Amino acid sequence: MSWFMFGALMLLFEGPLFICNTPSKDVAVWHRLKLVESAARRKNLLAFLGANATRKVPQAVIIGVRKGGTRALLEMLNLHPDVVVAKAEVHFFDWDENYQKGLDWYREQMPVSLPHQLTVEKTPGYFTTGKASGRIHGMSSSTRLLLIVRDPAERVISDYTQVLYNRKERHKRYQPVEEILIQNGKLNVEYKAIQRSRYDIHMATWLSLFPLHQIHLVDGDALIEDPLSQLQEVEQFLQLPPRIKASNFYFNQTKGFYCLLAAGHEKCLDQSKGRPHPPVHQSVLRQLCLYFREPNQNFFRMVGRTFNWC
């Protein structure tokens, strides 16, 4: 690289670019690229990277579960220099109108990556959409799948909480959670949030196409308490070199959960994450726990591990 080129890059990045301690010039530039927010600067950087930078369909997909911590998992994975992530939920495999646009359209929704990097997309609706497993398998039978799960009863309440806040923000009427969950004195098992928490039913669909060793389960409750341990397991599953460290996390006392640190930059999930749940009558929670007892045991047998759920 000429001194002129080096100086131009210094101006482009508005700061020093350290290349000597990185495996290659391209990787060093890419590390900086992941921190650049300006679209114009991104375009200039990609031009510098040249033909090495391409868009690929994801080799790994976070398939769910909804309200399980998929956004947190994606942002934490993005700390890894060998990972690039699709920032928005693409809904390619679960929405017919997007799937009909074809694989080339899907590829264009992915971030630009270098040859050695892993592209990851997350759309939590995939797990509970019957068509999604076959469509992903049709794209590539070797796609690695990440499924983050949490206590299904808690997930139901979290699902309701999101709807509740959305309706409040739009000044729309809403029903108390008890009125939705209990109808005619019985648990409303047809409620969509309850059906989404039937992990055993949905997992059977995925296991009919993908071997269990191709699906990694992330403990959503443990991700909140000890994110590093979960991310280290994900690194191993994705066959990534260990790069995410304890120094990448700090506990935010105000928010009540871990935030991220990378290259001197801090990042916390937005205010829609970690919202407090509305109070729920204990009798309703007991009915939820009782209902999920057998489905949970079925799920545990399927995946060969147990979780500390009610």
Side-chain angles (χ1 to χ4, degrees), residues 220-240:
D221 299 309
L223 187 71
I224 295 171
E225 300 294 330
D226 182 18
L228 180 60
S229 66
Q230 294 302 300
L231 267 293
Q232 288 173 334
E233 290 181 8
V234 172
E235 283 179 323
Q236 292 177 12
F237 170 71
L238 296 178
Q239 299 178 336
L240 294 167

Side-chain angles (χ1 to χ4, degrees), residues 277-288:
H277 291 175
V280 184
H281 198 281
Q282 285 299 315
S283 64
V284 175
L285 292 176
R286 282 195 296 271
Q287 288 190 61
L288 274 174

Side-chain angles (χ1 to χ4, degrees), residues 66-69 150-165 177 191 193 196-197 272-278 280 288:
R66 175 172 163 162
K67 306 311 296 177
R150 62 185 295 197
D151 186 314
E154 285 290 324
R155 200 218 65 81
V156 169
I157 305 303
S158 185
D159 202 315
Y160 166 82
T161 301
Q162 177 171 304
V163 175
L164 173 67
Y165 276 87
V177 64
Y191 178 41
R196 291 188 186 113
S197 283
S272 69
K273 308 301 179 182
R275 286 168 168 165
H277 291 175
V280 184
L288 274 174

Side-chain angles (χ1 to χ4, degrees), residues 11 14 42 59 77 101 123 149 160 196 203 271 290:
L11 291 173
E14 295 183 341
R42 281 185 180 273
Q59 300 100 313
L77 263 178
K101 296 174 183 177
T123 300
V149 291
Y160 166 82
R196 291 188 186 113
M203 193 68 180
Q271 61 183 6
L290 182 62

Side-chain angles (χ1 to χ4, degrees), residues 48-189:
F48 173 75
L49 288 172
N52 286 335
T54 58
R55 297 184 193 274
K56 298 175 287 194
V57 295
Q59 300 100 313
V61 178
I62 300 174
I63 59 174
V65 298
R66 175 172 163 162
K67 306 311 296 177
T70 57
R71 172 55 59 182
L73 178 60
L74 187 78
E75 296 295 347
M76 291 173 184
L77 263 178
N78 196 37
L79 292 168
H80 200 291
D82 293 348
V83 172
V84 294
V85 304
K87 292 293 186 179
E89 294 178 8
V90 183
H91 288 282
F92 180 64
F93 299 106
D94 60 338
W95 289 1
D96 291 344
E97 58 268 34
N98 284 343
Y99 190 70
Q100 291 167 2
K101 296 174 183 177
L103 202 59
D104 288 340
W105 177 87
Y106 182 52
R107 186 182 293 108
E108 284 303 307
Q109 312 313 306
M110 295 303 112
V112 176
S113 63
L114 295 173
H116 74 283
Q117 289 179 312
L118 190 76
T119 300
V120 179
E121 188 245 319
K122 80 100 176 171
T123 300
Y126 291 160
F127 182 60
T128 57
T129 301
K131 299 176 182 178
S133 57
R135 288 172 171 179
I136 292 178
H137 190 273
M139 175 185 71
S140 172
S141 61
S142 62
T143 303
R144 284 166 281 183
L145 307 173
L146 291 161
L147 176 66
I148 179 167
V149 291
R150 62 185 295 197
D151 186 314
E154 285 290 324
R155 200 218 65 81
V156 169
I157 305 303
S158 185
D159 202 315
Y160 166 82
T161 301
Q162 177 171 304
V163 175
L164 173 67
Y165 276 87
N166 287 343
R167 294 190 72 83
K168 282 184 174 181
E169 288 171 1
R170 297 172 186 173
H171 305 289
K172 291 186 176 182
R173 296 182 64 183
Y174 58 88
Q175 289 179 276
V177 64
E178 287 87 356
E179 290 184 10
I180 295 176
L181 289 174
I182 305 298
Q183 295 186 1
N184 300 319
K186 295 182 180 179
L187 190 68
N188 178 19
V189 298

